[in-house]
């Protein structure tokens, strides 16, 4: 089984077992702002070959990786507040997989073909399927 932790799913801090499942602690977002999505992990199949891009307007949530098996997928930086965060991660939990992608407060993330490609790849990886090419 696979699980995708999207955007504010990370804000369930009172649900300790859930937060252990997704392997992170939340770093609350700052203001709505343009985001730079960058420093993609080129060794992971979800992000291999991905290039840096911008999201026009979103919240810059951050993740503190607490599970030693969590793998950072990419980072994000807010253009206004200059805050630099882990913006995506993944990990294997027992027989399942978890993928966390933190942008998505506004529709701008979902309109960006680069970000939609991350969802595509993350969903396939979480379900332990081959990741087919994304054709937008």
């Amino acid at each position: 089984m696979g699980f995708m932790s999207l955007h504010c799913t990370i804000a369930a801090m009172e649900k300790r077992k859930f937060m252990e499942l997704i392997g992170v602690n939340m770093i609350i977002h700052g203001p709505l702002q343009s985001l730079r999505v960058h420093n993609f992990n080129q060794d992971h199949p979800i992000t291999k070959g991905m290039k840096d891009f911008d999201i026009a307007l979103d919240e810059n949530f951050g993740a503190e990786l607490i599970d030693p098996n969590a793998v950072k997928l990419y980072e994000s930086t807010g253009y206004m507040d200059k805050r630099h965060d882990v913006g995506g991660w993944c990990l294997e939990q027992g027989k399942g997989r978890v993928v966390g992608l933190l942008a998505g407060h506004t529709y701008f993330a979902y309109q960006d073909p680069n970000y939609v490609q991350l969802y595509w790849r993350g969903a396939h990886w979480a379900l332990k399927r081959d990741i087919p090419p994304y054709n937008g």
Side-chain angles (χ1 to χ4, degrees):
M1 176 168 290
F3 180 76
M4 297 274 292
S5 174
L6 305 177
H7 187 56
C8 64
T9 309
I10 197 172
M13 295 302 291
E14 72 283 356
K15 307 292 185 194
R16 202 173 95 228
K17 291 274 190 199
F18 175 74
M19 296 305 290
E20 289 172 8
L21 171 76
I22 65 173
V24 298
N25 281 332
M26 173 189 73
I27 301 171
I28 191 66
H29 62 80
L32 282 174
Q33 59 190 310
S34 296
L35 299 180
R36 184 73 172 159
V37 181
H38 58 97
N39 291 343
F40 286 95
N41 180 343
Q42 296 300 320
D43 296 325
H44 199 279
I46 295 174
T47 47
K48 186 176 182 84
M50 295 288 299
K51 306 262 190 266
D52 298 354
F53 64 92
D54 293 335
I55 296 175
L57 188 66
D58 213 279
E59 293 174 337
N60 190 29
F61 263 112
E64 173 194 8
L65 306 180
I66 59 170
D67 188 302
N69 298 313
V71 175
K72 179 174 65 172
L73 294 174
Y74 62 90
E75 299 168 0
S76 58
T77 300
Y79 275 96
M80 186 187 320
D81 65 6
K82 309 294 186 216
R83 198 178 87 187
H84 184 87
D85 290 296
V86 172
W89 75 96
C90 65
L91 72 149
E92 301 208 26
Q93 287 284 27
K95 295 180 181 179
R97 289 178 170 177
V98 173
V99 176
L101 305 174
L102 292 177
H105 181 74
T106 69
Y107 64 88
F108 291 100
Y110 307 107
Q111 289 183 333
D112 188 295
N114 297 297
Y115 207 70
V116 174
Q117 182 176 196
L118 281 173
Y119 276 80
W120 171 266
R121 290 176 171 196
H124 282 85
W125 183 85
L127 293 171
K128 297 184 180 180
R129 295 184 177 165
D130 290 339
I131 302 173
Y134 176 73
N135 296 320

